[in-house]
Each structure stands twice: as C-alpha cells, then as structure tokens.
Amino acid sequence: MDKKIIGITLTYAIIMMSLILVTFIGEWNPSGYSYSLSNETLTIEKGLFSKETTEIAIEDRIDQAISFSLSISEENQQWRMDVIVIGLLLPFLLLLFVPDRRPFKKQLSYPWFALIVAALVVLYASYSVPAHITEISDIQNQVDRLVQE
C-alpha cells in the first residue's frame, strides 16, 4: 500500500470512529436532545459534553412525553441511517483525491466518476437535511410545550 491509500484509510477510520463514538456512545443526534424516563419524571438533556438538564413531572402529560420520545427516536433513527450512508459514500469521496486509485477507472472517466459521486451525495443530502430540519423543529416545539406547562 502506498502513502495515499494509507492516508485515505486513516482519514476514513478517524471520521467514522468519531461519528460512531459520538452517535452510539455519546447518544448524540443533530437535535442535541436526549431523554430518560423514571417513574413520573421526564429528564430532558441538551448538549454533548456539558448537558443542560431539565426535569419535568409528567403524571398528567404522558401523551406529550410519549410524543416527545417518539420524535427523539425518529431523529435518532434518521441520524443512524445518515451515519451508515456516510460510511458508504465517504470512501468514494475520499478516492476523488486519488484519481489513479479510484474504482471503475476502466469503465468511467474521472469526471463521470466525480459527477456520479457528487450526485449521490447531493441526492441523499436533499433527502436527509429537510428530514432533520423538520424533526428538530418538531422536537424543539415539543420541548417548549413540555417546559412551559
């Protein structure tokens, strides 16, 4: 293996390990919210390292708490799917920087390879980003309602 492939492999490993650690160990998602439920208290946490914590008594508002937890679950699911897609597309993006090592070089010229990779990234981003924006807005509205009452 030459230095370029080692560099790409190392870059891929660092990026993916960071995403996996933050997502699965840190329980982070783009909304920044997580929660825990014990007895009749919902604890909402915001942030990754220095978490802001809000405790809410939910004895009369179980439906709102369930709706909030469902929204967080949907955001977590979307983010985890994003991590998988990033893991699949990232090698192709990184190989754009090493044209002599890219796959399909006999079948596709470099400009076509770059165009296809860019199109895949743009297509997925056009699906994923609006989904996150909608979910994050919904989560924020639910947090505001839970805290105000």
Side-chain angles (χ1 to χ4, degrees):
M1 290 198 347
D2 61 356
K3 290 180 182 180
K4 292 178 182 178
I5 295 299
I6 291 172
I8 286 176
T9 305
L10 208 60
T11 302
Y12 178 81
I14 290 169
I15 291 171
M16 288 309 298
M17 275 309 252
S18 300
L19 283 174
I20 289 170
L21 286 174
V22 167
T23 300
F24 295 103
I25 305 296
E27 296 179 3
W28 183 83
N29 64 55
S31 74
Y33 285 101
S34 61
Y35 72 95
S36 62
L37 189 60
S38 64
N39 296 330
E40 294 185 1
T41 302
L42 175 67
T43 304
I44 300 173
E45 299 174 335
K46 182 171 184 174
L48 180 59
F49 298 113
S50 59
K51 295 187 176 197
E52 299 173 24
T53 304
T54 305
E55 291 188 359
I56 300 166
I58 58 164
E59 59 271 345
D60 297 345
R61 303 181 294 169
I62 296 293
D63 57 333
Q64 288 178 336
I66 290 172
S67 179
F68 172 74
S69 67
L70 178 65
S71 294
I72 292 290
S73 295
E74 288 174 359
E75 179 63 17
N76 284 337
Q77 182 180 1
Q78 177 67 39
W79 176 243
R80 288 179 178 158
M81 186 171 68
D82 289 350
V83 170
I84 291 168
V85 171
I86 290 168
L88 293 172
L89 291 177
L90 187 58
F92 295 106
L93 284 170
L94 292 173
L95 286 170
L96 287 173
F97 299 105
V98 189
D100 58 319
R101 293 292 190 174
R102 69 181 163 77
F104 313 115
K105 61 181 163 180
K106 291 182 182 178
Q107 293 83 7
L108 290 172
S109 66
Y110 179 77
W112 277 105
F113 178 75
L115 181 68
I116 291 169
V117 171
L120 288 172
V121 169
V122 168
L123 280 172
Y124 187 76
S126 67
Y127 158 75
S128 179
V129 171
H132 283 296
I133 290 171
T134 302
E135 281 300 321
I136 291 169
S137 171
D138 186 41
I139 289 168
Q140 187 61 51
N141 289 338
Q142 289 183 24
V143 168
D144 291 343
R145 279 196 315 257
L146 282 166
V147 171
Q148 286 177 356
E149 294 180 12

